[in-house]
Amino acid sequence: MMRTAPDPAALYPDVAAEGSLASALQVTAAGQGLSLVAVPTASDLLRHASVLSSGSGREALRVSAAHAERRWLIMGCGRGNGSGQAKVLVGGETRDLRDVCRVAVAWRDGVPLSDIEQLAAWVELSGRYEVPDDSPAHLIASEWEYCRKDARFSGSPEYQTLIEATYAHPVLRHLYPFTSHGSLLFSSVVPTVHATPEGQANSTHSFSDALICLQVWHRDRYLVRKPFYGPVLAEATTAEEAAIHAARLLPGDLGQPVSSGD
């Protein structure tokens, strides 16, 4: 039998008493001597709200109430000069709404991400950094930082070695990296990702944009193949060798060495 989620009014009676999560955030912040303006989410007043940021590199902080048990979740995305390009910068969950208010104020005021992480131990940084100038080069560099941090916490030394070896390659480092099911893919297209009102990341990136795919195959072998799970184009016994193969197999002149002009 499928279990139904508790009535949000019963799980969050304090929020229900205020009429919306946005109002509850404002009241809770005021109780701490903080000034905070929250925007209600019309589709789910008791479980979703957002806090606008004064920084040009940040989307509104999304605040959500969990469905099955009482806890609060946040997600903060970066944006590129209002173009709609966005990626998750911070996330986390806590059982204390007062903690959410303090982080929301810091996010709104443009407090650096590293300082927000220090402010609340439950906040997690994705590894990406803000790109307010909408520069494709900066967006690519930011995504690389995310991939490298994700690999460090993957539990797979081989996967981390693959990420670091491809990052070290001068051709691959200038392509947009993205991962799926333990595979590393590259694209010459920087995707557009929007945060929905419910705080979810909605990407318009397509696997059709992928140029090449790399995978760890057991512990002593790496595969280079056509996306996605296409034919194997090359095998390697080291991540560095796999990166070299991948760069050479890129379509067009993307993988060709830059001419010195001699």
Side-chain angles (χ1 to χ4, degrees):
M1 180 181 296
M2 184 178 295
R3 298 179 60 183
T4 59
D7 181 351
L11 194 57
Y12 302 97
D14 48 339
V15 175
E18 298 298 337
S20 70
L21 176 54
S23 295
L25 283 166
Q26 293 174 169
V27 169
T28 303
Q32 302 176 81
L34 302 173
S35 176
L36 182 66
V37 175
V39 180
T41 300
S43 60
D44 196 340
L45 291 174
L46 298 186
R47 283 191 290 226
H48 295 286
S50 60
V51 176
L52 300 178
S53 173
S54 60
S56 62
R58 297 178 180 181
E59 296 277 0
L61 184 74
R62 310 288 174 166
V63 182
S64 303
H67 285 243
E69 60 178 320
R70 185 181 171 91
R71 56 192 173 92
W72 312 99
L73 301 90
I74 65 163
M75 188 180 77
C77 290
R79 65 167 179 249
N81 198 26
S83 69
Q85 291 176 327
K87 283 289 189 175
V88 177
L89 302 177
V90 300
E93 60 180 70
T94 178
R95 295 185 181 276
D96 194 334
L97 193 58
R98 294 173 297 179
D99 291 342
V100 174
C101 293
R102 288 191 288 271
V103 169
V105 168
W107 177 265
R108 177 201 64 193
D109 292 345
V111 172
L113 299 177
S114 57
D115 290 347
I116 293 178
E117 185 182 38
Q118 293 298 315
L119 175 68
W122 54 274
V123 170
E124 298 180 2
L125 304 186
S126 69
R128 300 182 180 99
Y129 53 81
E130 296 169 86
V131 187
D133 62 0
D134 201 19
S135 160
H138 293 165
L139 287 166
I140 289 170
S142 176
E143 197 64 18
W144 267 114
E145 289 307 302
Y146 164 76
C147 288
R148 297 176 74 195
K149 180 175 181 179
D150 181 64
R152 288 196 296 272
F153 292 95
S154 68
S156 170
E158 295 79 16
Y159 180 68
Q160 183 180 359
T161 299
L162 177 62
I163 295 294
E164 290 299 331
T166 51
Y167 176 73
H169 196 286
V171 172
L172 300 180
R173 187 169 61 247
H174 289 86
L175 296 175
Y176 185 88
F178 62 105
T179 59
S180 178
H181 299 86
S183 298
L184 173 63
L185 300 97
F186 294 93
S187 173
S188 59
V189 178
V190 178
T192 297
V193 180
H194 299 278
T196 69
E198 288 72 29
Q200 301 298 316
N202 180 29
S203 174
T204 60
H205 196 282
S206 169
F207 283 118
S208 64
D209 296 326
L211 301 170
I212 201 91
C213 175
L214 291 90
Q215 294 175 308
V216 177
W217 194 250
H218 304 301
R219 292 192 173 183
D220 59 351
R221 187 169 299 176
Y222 297 85
L223 300 182
V224 181
R225 62 198 317 164
K226 286 189 175 181
F228 189 65
Y229 289 106
V232 174
L233 302 175
E235 295 186 19
T237 56
T238 68
E240 291 77 13
E241 183 184 353
I244 292 171
H245 281 311
R248 288 175 176 169
L249 290 167
L250 289 171
D253 60 356
L254 286 172
Q256 300 303 314
V258 177
S259 172
S260 63
D262 295 337

